Amino acid sequence: MKKILFLLLIATLSLLVAGLAAGPTSAASPPHSSGVPANANVVELTAHHLEFKGPTEIPSGWTTVRLKNESEHVHFALFARYPEGRGVEDHQQIIAPIFQEGSELLWAGQLAEAFATFGQLPAWYFDVVITGGPGLIAPGRTAQTTLYLEPGTYVIECYVKTDRVYHSVPSNLNDPEPSEYGMVHEITVTETPSGASAPEPTLEMTLSTERGIEVADKVRPGLHTVAVYFEDQTVYGNFAGHDVHLARLES
């Protein structure tokens, strides 16, 4: 199995998780007070308009990232460990413009030109390690994920699009308060370990290329800590791999 990514899911109504309906509510939920260990290393991250606000340096090891969405858009916070010597400046000056231009060409049906644009991605970009993070979260809500962070430089990014413009593009004109960098944030994970423990899951989920999303138990309303095991990973033509998000559907 690959390294475990823990997602904290709070469900007060019936849920539909990746096609699996919520289970019966008669069974008592397991005792659960906070969803994280007492010695958790909690990092607070805020989405404000099209900008992340948060710390710039944290210890390594198990890290609980709490993303509070104070904007009017849906966001997520993807953590990516960049190669040594690379960081947010490289992302914003090189990577973000290539993805925006290449995507616009794809939408226009100019496939050859789009592939040529994506072909300009530097060789070092393919050494970037995606490590997860809080998934799609609606305005006014909070998402929480615990993941294991190795030492290094991480670029946190939201590349949800508004009017076909990625939130991570610098000076996004859709934002009433545009930031210099767009919706990205650099954070240094130091060699100093946090000493935090991994959370104890109340629900387990496995992702695989062949079987899709599998959940071991029925999902009951209440507080859950979900352990997500990536049995394998595939990077597709859109440069993204497997991930999992939670959405509540109305009746």
Side-chain angles (χ1 to χ4, degrees):
M1 291 289 186
K2 297 293 185 182
K3 201 163 280 181
I4 306 173
L5 170 66
F6 287 85
L7 304 179
L8 181 70
L9 311 180
I10 300 178
T12 55
L13 299 175
S14 297
L15 300 180
L16 195 72
V17 183
L20 297 177
T25 60
S26 57
S29 298
H32 221 291
S33 57
S34 66
V36 296
N39 66 342
N41 175 34
V42 180
V43 173
E44 301 283 351
L45 197 63
T46 302
H48 179 73
H49 290 291
L50 296 182
E51 183 180 12
F52 283 126
K53 296 182 182 296
T56 57
E57 184 175 291
I58 60 173
S60 55
W62 287 107
T63 306
T64 298
V65 181
R66 189 172 293 148
L67 173 62
K68 185 177 182 181
N69 188 357
E70 295 183 346
S71 80
E72 63 276 23
H73 301 288
V74 172
H75 292 303
F76 62 80
L78 179 69
F79 280 63
R81 190 174 79 244
Y82 269 50
E84 185 176 356
R86 302 292 180 179
V88 68
E89 296 279 356
D90 299 281
H91 181 280
Q92 295 308 84
Q93 293 177 11
I94 303 172
I95 306 304
I98 289 176
F99 271 97
Q100 184 64 45
E101 180 183 350
S103 297
E104 290 174 355
L105 290 168
L106 279 179
W107 298 325
Q110 302 177 40
L111 301 185
E113 293 85 349
F115 294 144
T117 299
F118 290 127
Q120 298 172 21
L121 288 168
W124 61 259
Y125 180 73
F126 298 94
D127 293 327
V128 170
V129 179
I130 303 298
T131 56
L136 292 165
I137 187 70
R141 293 182 175 269
T142 298
Q144 181 169 294
T145 299
T146 299
L147 58 160
Y148 194 92
L149 296 179
E150 303 281 357
T153 298
Y154 288 75
V155 172
I156 306 169
E157 176 186 12
C158 173
Y159 53 83
V160 174
K161 296 184 291 294
T162 298
D163 296 332
R164 289 190 171 185
V165 179
Y166 292 106
H167 290 177
S168 55
V169 170
S171 300
N172 190 317
L173 298 180
N174 295 300
D175 186 7
E177 298 180 15
S179 66
E180 178 184 0
Y181 284 119
M183 200 157 191
V184 293
H185 181 71
E186 183 176 297
I187 192 167
T188 299
V189 177
T190 68
E191 296 283 348
T192 303
S194 68
S197 304
E200 290 293 331
T202 62
L203 194 69
E204 295 188 340
M205 178 183 296
T206 300
L207 273 66
S208 69
T209 303
E210 293 185 359
R211 300 187 306 279
I213 298 176
E214 298 176 308
V215 180
D217 303 300
K218 291 183 177 180
V219 182
R220 299 182 302 275
L223 186 65
H224 287 282
T225 297
V226 182
V228 182
Y229 300 89
F230 289 83
E231 190 170 282
D232 56 55
Q233 185 60 280
T234 299
V235 178
Y236 297 94
N238 60 353
F239 300 93
H242 302 154
D243 57 11
V244 58
H245 302 267
L246 178 69
R248 189 180 77 226
L249 304 185
E250 302 296 341
S251 57

